[in-house]
Amino acid sequence: FRSSDLLRDIAVLMTPSAQEKGLALHLDMPDTLPTAVIGDMGKLRQILFNLVSNAVKFTDNGTVSLTALSAELAAGHALTFT
């Protein structure tokens, strides 16, 4: 699956909730994210959605950010989400 598509989908889904609370939702992902990722897209979507949802729920003002980082390893890439 495409990690960039997954991250954009989560941002699109959560933006209305953030805006209702007067929050900004910021998605930060580099152009260097791998084109294809092997893994359980459904589980990752659920985990990231829950994290962003909780961040929106428990943030009173300001910005909620979803950041993805990619590091090249000998065996491929490692993705980190914050």
Side-chain angles (χ1 to χ4, degrees):
F1 66 92
R2 292 178 58 98
S3 57
S4 58
D5 291 345
L6 173 66
L7 294 169
R8 281 189 200 98
D9 289 348
I10 292 168
V12 166
L13 287 171
M14 291 306 304
T15 295
S17 297
Q19 289 176 338
E20 284 178 15
K21 288 191 66 179
L23 302 172
L25 179 61
H26 179 73
L27 174 59
D28 182 23
M29 59 182 175
D31 294 334
T32 57
L33 281 180
T35 304
V37 177
I38 298 171
D40 190 335
M41 182 181 70
K43 285 284 190 198
L44 183 56
R45 178 188 307 270
Q46 180 181 6
I47 291 165
L48 292 175
F49 180 83
N50 287 345
L51 289 172
V52 174
S53 178
N54 284 340
V56 168
K57 184 177 182 179
F58 295 110
T59 300
D60 293 325
N61 56 51
T63 303
V64 171
S65 296
L66 174 57
T67 304
L69 303 171
S70 176
E72 194 168 341
L73 305 174
H77 280 84
L79 296 179
T80 304
F81 303 99
T82 60

